[in-house]
Amino acid sequence: MPKPGELIFESPRRGKPPVHLMDLDPAERKKAVTDLGLPGFRADQVSRHWLSRLSDDPQEWSDLPEGARETIRAALLPTLLTPVRTIACDEGTTVKSLWRLHDGALVESVLMRYPERVTMCISSQAGCGMNCPFCATGQAGLTRNLSTAEIVEQVIAGARALQHGEVDGGPGRVTNVVFMGMGEPLANYRAVVAAVRRLVEPSPAGLGISARGITVSTVGLVPRIRELAHEGLPVTLAVSLHAPDDALRDTLVPVNTRWKVREVLDAAWEYARSTHRRVSIEYALIKDVNDQRWRAELLGDLLAGHLVHVNLIPLNPTPGSKWTASRPEDERAFVRALKGKGVAVTVRDTRGREIDGACGQLAAANP
Ligand code: SAH
């Protein structure tokens, strides 16, 4: 099994990652293990070590014979994520990791610890093809989709760090996962849905995280939103709207030229109807661009009466950006206007700003 970075015969940035236990569902794991000449129940044993005990050290898998441990590790547990940099802030309760994938592509994940929960913000693609002009990841373009295991392993890495007490506040568990790192999750639909299944299924199939704690955030790929509505996975859907009118949204979220605000919201309401989950509308407040009172009122009119919640995000300007966050008084007026329409609204906290917080900035700083 090659070590990360050793796949010299493949295109450095386009290589398909090696198959990993976390790519496989329980039946596929069993088959993979029997294909190695081992009894099928070894699959459940090793899955328990990996997912429940979070043990990546074959020495600790004492219910498996030594030969079986090494065979399974070599064939099914390649190292997918190699840490490049880890930075902590907010008194050690926010930890951002930059990972190198087997082919040299970079992705990032962020662990945020709150008194009552731990949220992991993870990436679904290396880069992103959606080209939103205010987003650091959007500027770099798409490198490739992540595999299911590359997605799941970001959460497992965070869970391990917590279990080992490496995050300030003592040992803990991951309770929430948000697909708000790099990439457009619904553009990597199959791998993302499989990863969500692995996150929510109980051990030994998966990590046993509640679907209610998982949020999939999208620019608004309408057919995929409708498909996700019927997967039987009651995750929270977040729609990155950023503008209530097509003229502005065409420029802020370019995929809007394909699916308009009205179509995106109709798909969101279908999602809410079929899952009974409140949809989250993400809206980055950009000074004098999308923060006018009339836009707040138009947004309120579009959303009023639906199972929805607005999450306002003060813009985190990317280096060299001509845009900046809204004035505090405009932010307050925007909140008031939405509340005036009867729409639930909160302003997102801004953890991790001093470590190039979110939105692809860490990877952008490490080309
Ligand atoms: N592609 C998905 C998920 C990744 S981005 C999506 O667009 O929803 C997660 C959220 O961060 C999105 O709402 C995105 O619009 C927002 N975001 C990106 N860059 C930002 C920035 N510079 N400031 C504030 N929010 C940003």
Side-chain angles (χ1 to χ4, degrees):
M1 191 60 48
K3 290 198 175 65
E6 274 185 10
L7 282 184
I8 43 178
F9 299 112
E10 291 207 33
S11 149
R13 302 189 67 80
R14 291 276 171 188
K16 203 171 173 227
V19 171
H20 187 282
L21 195 72
M22 293 299 105
D23 287 312
L24 311 177
D25 67 26
E28 292 166 334
R29 286 178 210 166
K30 198 166 173 185
K31 178 171 185 312
V33 164
T34 48
D35 285 351
L36 292 170
L38 298 167
F41 66 86
R42 298 284 179 225
D44 268 8
Q45 288 178 314
V46 76
S47 295
R48 277 200 185 84
H49 289 298
W50 202 258
L51 288 155
S52 311
R53 300 182 191 101
L54 302 170
S55 166
D56 56 356
D57 178 2
Q59 301 291 322
E60 296 170 358
W61 309 344
S62 51
D63 52 346
L64 286 90
E66 225 164 285
R69 293 179 218 171
E70 193 39 46
T71 304
I72 292 176
R73 197 210 57 77
L76 295 173
L77 292 164
T79 301
L80 296 179
L81 309 179
T82 304
V84 177
R85 277 177 77 194
T86 304
I87 320 176
C89 71
D90 302 319
E91 272 104 47
T93 57
T94 302
V95 182
K96 179 152 182 163
S97 304
L98 179 69
W99 306 101
R100 190 183 309 283
L101 308 181
H102 82 102
D103 58 352
L106 298 174
V107 295
E108 48 192 57
S109 62
V110 188
L111 185 154
M112 290 160 283
R113 182 168 217 165
Y114 302 88
E116 74 297 356
R117 66 180 198 276
V118 176
T119 300
M120 286 238 36
C121 176
I122 59 169
S123 298
S124 56
Q125 298 181 309
C128 184
M130 297 297 119
N131 208 20
C132 303
F134 56 88
C135 172
T137 308
Q139 307 319 296
L142 177 65
T143 300
R144 69 166 168 87
N145 281 335
L146 301 193
S147 66
T148 296
E150 285 172 327
I151 297 169
V152 173
E153 285 292 293
Q154 293 171 59
V155 179
I156 291 180
R160 247 184 224 133
L162 275 166
Q163 187 194 50
H164 295 168
E166 289 164 18
V167 182
D168 227 65
R173 301 182 48 242
V174 175
T175 56
N176 296 70
V177 175
V178 298
F179 285 82
M180 293 193 183
M182 301 173 86
E184 166 51 43
L186 298 190
N188 185 16
Y189 188 85
R190 201 198 47 75
V192 165
V193 167
V196 171
R197 292 197 196 285
R198 228 113 294 155
L199 297 180
V200 302
E201 279 166 3
S203 171
L207 275 170
I209 296 172
S210 163
R212 292 171 170 271
I214 296 177
T215 298
V216 173
S217 181
T218 179
V219 289
L221 306 186
V222 165
R224 297 306 199 190
I225 293 175
R226 294 191 185 278
E227 202 176 336
L228 188 65
H230 304 288
E231 291 285 355
L233 287 170
V235 297
T236 299
L237 177 75
V239 174
S240 296
L241 202 66
H242 305 314
D245 55 309
D246 288 317
L248 179 59
R249 194 166 191 267
D250 281 350
T251 67
L252 293 180
V253 186
V255 79
N256 195 70
T257 56
R258 178 102 171 261
W259 292 290
K260 299 296 176 194
V261 170
R262 169 60 63 191
E263 294 170 85
V264 172
L265 291 178
D266 281 347
W269 308 147
E270 178 180 338
Y271 191 87
R273 260 196 313 279
S274 91
T275 61
H276 307 290
R277 302 288 298 146
R278 189 166 79 157
V279 171
S280 177
I281 299 291
E282 308 293 299
Y283 199 106
L285 281 172
I286 313 175
K287 182 178 152 190
D288 297 331
V289 173
N290 65 353
D291 61 355
Q292 304 83 357
R293 191 182 173 86
W294 72 266
R295 282 203 162 91
E297 287 176 353
L298 177 56
L299 180 63
D301 288 336
L302 292 175
L303 305 186
H306 290 282
L307 192 58
V308 70
H309 169 266
V310 176
N311 197 5
L312 297 174
I313 317 165
L315 183 81
N316 188 8
T318 55
S321 166
K322 57 185 176 192
W323 288 322
T324 181
S326 298
R327 299 171 197 87
E329 61 268 31
D330 292 340
E331 182 183 295
R332 283 195 295 271
F334 207 94
V335 170
R336 265 200 312 278
L338 282 172
K339 284 187 175 159
K341 299 278 182 185
V343 174
V345 53
T346 47
V347 179
R348 188 197 280 177
D349 77 345
T350 51
R351 279 225 183 177
R353 284 279 151 114
E354 67 266 43
I355 52 168
D356 295 335
C359 322
Q361 294 186 18
L362 189 58
N366 286 266

PDB file of all heavy atoms in Angstrom, residues 305-320:
ATOM      1  N   GLY A 305     -44.291  32.161   6.559  1.00  0.00           N
ATOM      2  CA  GLY A 305     -45.269  31.074   6.528  1.00  0.00           C
ATOM      3  C   GLY A 305     -44.668  29.710   6.252  1.00  0.00           C
ATOM      4  O   GLY A 305     -45.373  28.708   6.255  1.00  0.00           O
ATOM      5  N   HIS A 306     -43.353  29.652   5.990  1.00  0.00           N
ATOM      6  CA  HIS A 306     -42.716  28.359   5.715  1.00  0.00           C
ATOM      7  C   HIS A 306     -41.918  27.867   6.929  1.00  0.00           C
ATOM      8  O   HIS A 306     -41.620  28.638   7.833  1.00  0.00           O
ATOM      9  CB  HIS A 306     -41.804  28.482   4.496  1.00  0.00           C
ATOM     10  CG  HIS A 306     -42.556  28.655   3.218  1.00  0.00           C
ATOM     11  ND1 HIS A 306     -43.173  27.606   2.561  1.00  0.00           N
ATOM     12  CD2 HIS A 306     -42.828  29.756   2.481  1.00  0.00           C
ATOM     13  CE1 HIS A 306     -43.779  28.059   1.481  1.00  0.00           C
ATOM     14  NE2 HIS A 306     -43.587  29.358   1.403  1.00  0.00           N
ATOM     15  N   LEU A 307     -41.591  26.561   6.894  1.00  0.00           N
ATOM     16  CA  LEU A 307     -40.790  25.950   7.955  1.00  0.00           C
ATOM     17  C   LEU A 307     -39.330  26.317   7.687  1.00  0.00           C
ATOM     18  O   LEU A 307     -38.601  25.584   7.020  1.00  0.00           O
ATOM     19  CB  LEU A 307     -41.005  24.426   7.905  1.00  0.00           C
ATOM     20  CG  LEU A 307     -40.501  23.582   9.068  1.00  0.00           C
ATOM     21  CD1 LEU A 307     -41.108  24.025  10.388  1.00  0.00           C
ATOM     22  CD2 LEU A 307     -40.807  22.112   8.812  1.00  0.00           C
ATOM     23  N   VAL A 308     -38.901  27.466   8.205  1.00  0.00           N
ATOM     24  CA  VAL A 308     -37.621  28.036   7.774  1.00  0.00           C
ATOM     25  C   VAL A 308     -37.003  28.883   8.882  1.00  0.00           C
ATOM     26  O   VAL A 308     -37.701  29.362   9.792  1.00  0.00           O
ATOM     27  CB  VAL A 308     -37.838  28.889   6.490  1.00  0.00           C
ATOM     28  CG1 VAL A 308     -38.611  30.170   6.804  1.00  0.00           C
ATOM     29  CG2 VAL A 308     -36.542  29.178   5.774  1.00  0.00           C
ATOM     30  N   HIS A 309     -35.722  29.048   8.774  1.00  0.00           N
ATOM     31  CA  HIS A 309     -34.965  29.841   9.736  1.00  0.00           C
ATOM     32  C   HIS A 309     -33.842  30.517   8.955  1.00  0.00           C
ATOM     33  O   HIS A 309     -33.212  29.873   8.112  1.00  0.00           O
ATOM     34  CB  HIS A 309     -34.406  28.885  10.795  1.00  0.00           C
ATOM     35  CG  HIS A 309     -33.397  29.501  11.692  1.00  0.00           C
ATOM     36  ND1 HIS A 309     -32.046  29.433  11.449  1.00  0.00           N
ATOM     37  CD2 HIS A 309     -33.546  30.202  12.828  1.00  0.00           C
ATOM     38  CE1 HIS A 309     -31.406  30.064  12.417  1.00  0.00           C
ATOM     39  NE2 HIS A 309     -32.288  30.545  13.259  1.00  0.00           N
ATOM     40  N   VAL A 310     -33.620  31.796   9.186  1.00  0.00           N
ATOM     41  CA  VAL A 310     -32.565  32.500   8.453  1.00  0.00           C
ATOM     42  C   VAL A 310     -31.318  32.605   9.323  1.00  0.00           C
ATOM     43  O   VAL A 310     -31.392  32.988  10.491  1.00  0.00           O
ATOM     44  CB  VAL A 310     -33.018  33.913   8.014  1.00  0.00           C
ATOM     45  CG1 VAL A 310     -31.866  34.662   7.337  1.00  0.00           C
ATOM     46  CG2 VAL A 310     -34.215  33.825   7.081  1.00  0.00           C
ATOM     47  N   ASN A 311     -30.203  32.242   8.740  1.00  0.00           N
ATOM     48  CA  ASN A 311     -28.919  32.335   9.418  1.00  0.00           C
ATOM     49  C   ASN A 311     -28.123  33.432   8.719  1.00  0.00           C
ATOM     50  O   ASN A 311     -27.662  33.240   7.587  1.00  0.00           O
ATOM     51  CB  ASN A 311     -28.223  30.969   9.289  1.00  0.00           C
ATOM     52  CG  ASN A 311     -27.094  30.800  10.268  1.00  0.00           C
ATOM     53  OD1 ASN A 311     -26.855  31.652  11.123  1.00  0.00           O
ATOM     54  ND2 ASN A 311     -26.389  29.696  10.137  1.00  0.00           N
ATOM     55  N   LEU A 312     -28.003  34.585   9.352  1.00  0.00           N
ATOM     56  CA  LEU A 312     -27.236  35.684   8.761  1.00  0.00           C
ATOM     57  C   LEU A 312     -25.770  35.508   9.127  1.00  0.00           C
ATOM     58  O   LEU A 312     -25.437  35.239  10.283  1.00  0.00           O
ATOM     59  CB  LEU A 312     -27.758  37.031   9.276  1.00  0.00           C
ATOM     60  CG  LEU A 312     -29.208  37.371   8.900  1.00  0.00           C
ATOM     61  CD1 LEU A 312     -29.651  38.661   9.601  1.00  0.00           C
ATOM     62  CD2 LEU A 312     -29.368  37.504   7.392  1.00  0.00           C
ATOM     63  N   ILE A 313     -24.902  35.617   8.129  1.00  0.00           N
ATOM     64  CA  ILE A 313     -23.466  35.428   8.352  1.00  0.00           C
ATOM     65  C   ILE A 313     -22.757  36.734   8.017  1.00  0.00           C
ATOM     66  O   ILE A 313     -22.789  37.164   6.869  1.00  0.00           O
ATOM     67  CB  ILE A 313     -22.889  34.341   7.406  1.00  0.00           C
ATOM     68  CG1 ILE A 313     -23.813  33.130   7.319  1.00  0.00           C
ATOM     69  CG2 ILE A 313     -21.485  33.950   7.814  1.00  0.00           C
ATOM     70  CD1 ILE A 313     -23.484  32.195   6.146  1.00  0.00           C
ATOM     71  N   PRO A 314     -22.144  37.398   9.007  1.00  0.00           N
ATOM     72  CA  PRO A 314     -21.357  38.579   8.635  1.00  0.00           C
ATOM     73  C   PRO A 314     -20.275  38.154   7.640  1.00  0.00           C
ATOM     74  O   PRO A 314     -19.564  37.180   7.900  1.00  0.00           O
ATOM     75  CB  PRO A 314     -20.740  39.029   9.961  1.00  0.00           C
ATOM     76  CG  PRO A 314     -21.580  38.372  11.032  1.00  0.00           C
ATOM     77  CD  PRO A 314     -22.071  37.085  10.437  1.00  0.00           C
ATOM     78  N   LEU A 315     -20.165  38.827   6.513  1.00  0.00           N
ATOM     79  CA  LEU A 315     -19.186  38.408   5.498  1.00  0.00           C
ATOM     80  C   LEU A 315     -17.791  38.346   6.107  1.00  0.00           C
ATOM     81  O   LEU A 315     -17.367  39.246   6.825  1.00  0.00           O
ATOM     82  CB  LEU A 315     -19.166  39.384   4.309  1.00  0.00           C
ATOM     83  CG  LEU A 315     -18.206  38.923   3.204  1.00  0.00           C
ATOM     84  CD1 LEU A 315     -18.852  37.867   2.333  1.00  0.00           C
ATOM     85  CD2 LEU A 315     -17.717  40.089   2.360  1.00  0.00           C
ATOM     86  N   ASN A 316     -17.105  37.267   5.810  1.00  0.00           N
ATOM     87  CA  ASN A 316     -15.715  37.099   6.216  1.00  0.00           C
ATOM     88  C   ASN A 316     -14.892  37.429   4.964  1.00  0.00           C
ATOM     89  O   ASN A 316     -14.760  36.584   4.090  1.00  0.00           O
ATOM     90  CB  ASN A 316     -15.522  35.638   6.651  1.00  0.00           C
ATOM     91  CG  ASN A 316     -14.179  35.380   7.268  1.00  0.00           C
ATOM     92  OD1 ASN A 316     -13.412  36.304   7.527  1.00  0.00           O
ATOM     93  ND2 ASN A 316     -13.876  34.114   7.487  1.00  0.00           N
ATOM     94  N   PRO A 317     -14.378  38.646   4.851  1.00  0.00           N
ATOM     95  CA  PRO A 317     -13.785  39.036   3.564  1.00  0.00           C
ATOM     96  C   PRO A 317     -12.577  38.180   3.211  1.00  0.00           C
ATOM     97  O   PRO A 317     -11.745  37.888   4.068  1.00  0.00           O
ATOM     98  CB  PRO A 317     -13.372  40.499   3.772  1.00  0.00           C
ATOM     99  CG  PRO A 317     -13.895  40.905   5.100  1.00  0.00           C
ATOM    100  CD  PRO A 317     -14.242  39.675   5.879  1.00  0.00           C
ATOM    101  N   THR A 318     -12.511  37.756   1.970  1.00  0.00           N
ATOM    102  CA  THR A 318     -11.345  37.005   1.498  1.00  0.00           C
ATOM    103  C   THR A 318     -10.243  38.020   1.183  1.00  0.00           C
ATOM    104  O   THR A 318     -10.540  39.190   0.919  1.00  0.00           O
ATOM    105  CB  THR A 318     -11.688  36.207   0.238  1.00  0.00           C
ATOM    106  OG1 THR A 318     -12.215  37.116  -0.737  1.00  0.00           O
ATOM    107  CG2 THR A 318     -12.738  35.154   0.519  1.00  0.00           C
ATOM    108  N   PRO A 319      -8.986  37.571   1.222  1.00  0.00           N
ATOM    109  CA  PRO A 319      -7.898  38.525   0.978  1.00  0.00           C
ATOM    110  C   PRO A 319      -8.089  39.239  -0.369  1.00  0.00           C
ATOM    111  O   PRO A 319      -8.391  38.606  -1.373  1.00  0.00           O
ATOM    112  CB  PRO A 319      -6.654  37.627   0.952  1.00  0.00           C
ATOM    113  CG  PRO A 319      -7.045  36.397   1.727  1.00  0.00           C
ATOM    114  CD  PRO A 319      -8.510  36.216   1.505  1.00  0.00           C
ATOM    115  N   GLY A 320      -7.959  40.550  -0.360  1.00  0.00           N
ATOM    116  CA  GLY A 320      -8.080  41.319  -1.596  1.00  0.00           C
ATOM    117  C   GLY A 320      -9.508  41.591  -2.033  1.00  0.00           C
ATOM    118  O   GLY A 320      -9.737  42.181  -3.088  1.00  0.00           O
TER     119      GLY A 320
END
